[in-house]
Amino acid sequence: MSLLKLASGATAAALKKSSATQLVVSRASSHFVYSPDAKAPVEGPTQKMNMFQAINNAMDIAMERDTSALVFGEDVAFGGVFRCSMGLQKKYGKDRVFNTPLCEQGIAGFAIGVANTGATAIAEMQFADYIFPAFDQIVNEAAKYRYRSGNLFDCGSLTFRAPCGAVGHGACYHSQSPEAYFAHTPGLKVVVPRGPNKAKGLLLACIKEKDPCIVFEPKTLYRAAVEEVPVAAFESPLGKADILRAGSDVTLIGWGTQIHVLSEVADMAKKQYGVNCEVIDLVSILPWDKDTICSSAKKTGRVLIAHEAPLTSGFGAELAATIQEECFLHLEAPVARVTGWDTPFPHVFEPFYIPDKFRCLAGVKKLIDY
């Protein structure tokens, strides 16, 4: 959002005539400050990587150790629109890294067939917003394959990658967060990384997983997120949340980009109100870490859940319902949700749509004052 700073009291005509007048344009390009992980997840040599480089590294490792692994999707041959598959076709050939037609249903159907034969499929949906034409294939075919065959067959080693979330200028077709749609589907695994280390570890874990997985990658983190990432292969556990900051007064829960918003909120709450917030990255949407979430809720008695997706039936509703059922007698206030609004994702009004640090901090204050 641009802010035009003009000399006060000057008329438009005077401004045009004055060679001394300067027009200053500034842009707030991000609603968060990135908080890198404090340390690498495993011991050993590390390399500085942003998130798309870490994802590229994970796919490189997977293809090197598994000759059946294929990478495919729209424009992946030259590296993809976000450069995540850059250099892979040159290294592994056109038979293993290739473009597909602009048909998400076809990409998903082909991926299911590849996985059914015992090979490893790594399919890219160019944007998470484009995944909906593939919904039937993912939900009614991939997710149910093991169940309807009586465990004789499965759709394992099938991973869908999909860039998601706010990016500053994506509007309604390039900014959505559709994780809740898929969280309603038994048979799938759904994860959202917060940075390079999690992206690499989760992707490698999903590629090996014997049930189909979706990795929703916050696109605004592809370049903004930079960490020291282990060079060697490693896996991050699916279904396990991370406590990023211990606290005693309020539990803050989020995933993906929102974790970095909440980390800043925790700093602001401590400074302004003397409130100690516990910050939890849910990491895994399906399955999700009920034990970690409920233990924290019982300890603090106050919970705020924040996500970019709309409020109604967002995944925060599932968390809130479970916390209410499991932790009711420990709660000091109703579970709060700070989310996107129940509207299509806007373009110019994006700063008013996203659950930024100010809306989240107001939610914390409301919890404390309840």
Side-chain angles (χ1 to χ4, degrees), residues 183-266:
H184 197 63
T185 307
L188 293 179
K189 304 288 176 69
V190 181
V191 297
V192 187
R194 65 175 176 269
N197 277 301
K198 271 297 168 185
K200 178 175 178 177
L202 288 172
L203 183 53
L204 286 172
C206 286
I207 290 169
K208 285 186 65 177
E209 172 62 33
K210 291 307 177 185
D211 284 309
C213 298
I214 305 176
V215 184
F216 286 116
E217 301 163 359
K219 68 180 79 69
T220 194
L221 297 180
Y222 278 137
R223 289 170 174 79
V226 180
E227 291 174 341
E228 289 292 329
V229 180
V231 175
F234 66 93
E235 297 172 21
S236 297
L238 307 180
K240 181 63 179 172
D242 292 336
I243 300 176
L244 301 181
R245 179 189 304 215
S248 56
D249 299 324
V250 179
T251 298
L252 306 180
I253 305 170
W255 48 91
T257 308
Q258 198 62 28
I259 275 301
H260 307 294
V261 175
L262 294 178
S263 293
E264 192 171 0
V265 170

Side-chain angles (χ1 to χ4, degrees), residues 291-327:
D291 291 342
T292 295
I293 297 302
C294 289
S295 293
S296 180
K298 289 176 181 178
K299 178 176 70 171
T300 65
R302 299 175 178 87
V303 180
L304 183 144
I305 304 161
H307 57 70
E308 291 182 12
L311 174 72
T312 301
S313 297
F315 195 66
E318 175 64 24
L319 301 180
T322 301
I323 293 167
Q324 186 273 336
E325 290 174 356
E326 300 291 331
C327 313

Side-chain angles (χ1 to χ4, degrees), residues 132-179:
F132 298 113
F135 195 82
D136 178 61
Q137 288 288 332
I138 296 171
V139 170
N140 275 334
E141 302 299 335
K144 295 175 174 61
Y145 211 82
R146 181 192 297 280
Y147 177 82
R148 69 188 182 97
S149 71
N151 204 31
L152 292 175
F153 307 101
D154 64 65
C155 230
S157 299
L158 167 57
T159 303
F160 294 102
R161 295 180 41 253
C164 70
V167 70
H169 50 264
C172 58
Y173 291 129
H174 299 84
S175 303
Q176 296 176 83
S177 298
E179 64 272 7

